[in-house]
Amino acid sequence: MKICYQHVAPEKGRPKFREMLYQLIERSKRSDTEFDIKFMEKAFPHMKYFISRYTDFLNSWQLLEAIIQREKEGYDGVIIGCFHDTCLKEARQVTKIPIVGPCESSLLFAYLMSDKFAIIAPSIYDVPRIREKVIGYQLTAKTMIEPLTVPIDTIIRSLEDPKELIQDFMEVSKHCVKEGAELIIPGCTLMSTIISCAGVNEIENGVPVLDCVVVSVKLLETLIEMKEKLGF
């Protein structure tokens, strides 16, 4: 099978991210899965823009057109590279291939793996957007959402030095564990990639960190295989 990770922003200024993302997907995919990573040609490039509903809306139509193009190029499935699951329903409506989003994929896996879980949002301003997704996926009773305390620019800088990000992520996650979380989800594909590549896969007492990119890959592979073998 051949899949595509379609990011929602341009690559410009973040070549390190592509390298880390490639390594993460390469080690988590099936041996017979081929994959490509695609970035947007024109979109708002900085993370702070994605906490704006207006700029997210402007990016959405370009992302949707890109996903449609990926189907024409012969990909068997597409991962939307943003925890907002941007235009996920719209993409599923206009294509005939499986499309997955990191938020929905993570929540489905978390539901199977724990009774209560926490999403660590990249910013306090992103909490309402993530909460809306959780409500839409009908998992509010099991999900808590807590934001990082460091500025959102810290995530970009962490591509070179992740120490500050990891320290804050761990502190916020430990608070969630004390509140009953049995599993932690980094609520941003960039943040999740950085944390995974740094080797962070659990918090304390064996509480796992669920990488939203990895679970998206595994869910997409399963859906493609089901379509090929069962016809749906």
Side-chain angles (χ1 to χ4, degrees):
M1 68 180 68
K2 185 177 180 181
I3 66 175
C4 179
Y5 181 97
Q6 179 63 59
H7 198 56
V8 299
E11 183 180 10
K12 184 178 179 181
R14 295 190 292 177
K16 182 73 171 178
F17 179 41
R18 176 187 283 271
E19 178 184 338
M20 295 172 70
L21 190 59
Y22 181 90
Q23 293 174 358
L24 184 62
I25 297 176
E26 177 65 28
R27 72 173 188 241
S28 60
K29 71 177 185 66
R30 291 179 6 173
S31 59
D32 60 341
T33 297
E34 300 177 22
F35 74 95
D36 289 312
I37 299 170
K38 302 284 188 178
F39 285 80
M40 300 292 290
E41 294 183 3
K42 295 180 180 180
F44 289 96
H46 199 282
M47 278 197 66
K48 67 181 181 182
Y49 291 117
F50 292 104
I51 63 177
S52 164
R53 294 176 185 271
Y54 175 64
T55 51
D56 196 36
F57 170 77
L58 294 178
N59 282 348
S60 293
W61 72 268
Q62 298 179 68
L63 176 62
L64 186 58
E65 290 298 319
I67 293 171
I68 293 172
Q69 181 60 31
R70 301 303 165 239
E71 182 180 34
K72 293 178 180 178
E73 292 169 354
Y75 289 97
D76 298 304
V78 174
I79 298 168
I80 295 174
C82 179
F83 201 78
H84 290 167
D85 289 357
T86 310
C87 66
L88 175 60
K89 292 182 179 180
E90 292 83 356
R92 286 172 173 167
Q93 187 176 40
V94 298
T95 61
K96 295 181 180 179
I97 58 175
I99 313 291
V100 301
C103 182
E104 183 183 45
S105 300
S106 298
L107 291 174
L108 290 173
F109 272 77
Y111 179 82
L112 294 173
M113 297 171 64
S114 62
D115 287 328
K116 190 174 184 180
F117 37 88
I119 298 173
I120 310 303
S123 165
I124 191 172
Y125 301 106
D126 207 33
V127 170
R129 299 285 300 278
I130 294 176
R131 182 177 294 115
E132 288 175 9
K133 292 297 179 182
V134 173
I135 293 172
Y137 297 138
Q138 301 183 31
L139 286 171
T140 51
K142 290 178 172 287
T143 311
M144 61 175 69
I145 306 169
E146 291 290 338
L148 295 174
T149 63
V150 294
I152 196 167
D153 291 347
T154 305
I155 300 177
I156 299 294
R157 295 196 303 270
S158 295
L159 286 166
E160 300 300 330
D161 184 0
K163 290 181 181 178
E164 185 179 4
L165 171 63
I166 291 174
Q167 181 179 355
D168 192 56
F169 175 81
M170 293 296 288
E171 289 177 357
V172 176
S173 296
K174 287 178 181 179
H175 168 74
C176 293
V177 171
K178 290 180 180 178
E179 294 296 317
E182 300 173 357
L183 180 146
I184 304 295
I185 303 170
C188 166
T189 55
L190 176 56
M191 175 171 64
S192 192
T193 299
I194 294 170
I195 289 171
S196 287
C197 288
V200 178
N201 54 30
E202 67 176 32
I203 305 302
E204 57 183 13
N205 300 324
V207 174
V209 175
L210 190 64
D211 184 280
C212 64
V213 174
V214 171
V215 296
S216 297
V217 171
K218 304 317 293 181
L219 179 59
L220 184 59
E221 288 177 329
T222 299
L223 292 175
I224 292 171
E225 185 174 15
M226 288 177 64
K227 182 180 179 182
E228 291 174 347
K229 295 184 176 182
L230 303 177
F232 57 82

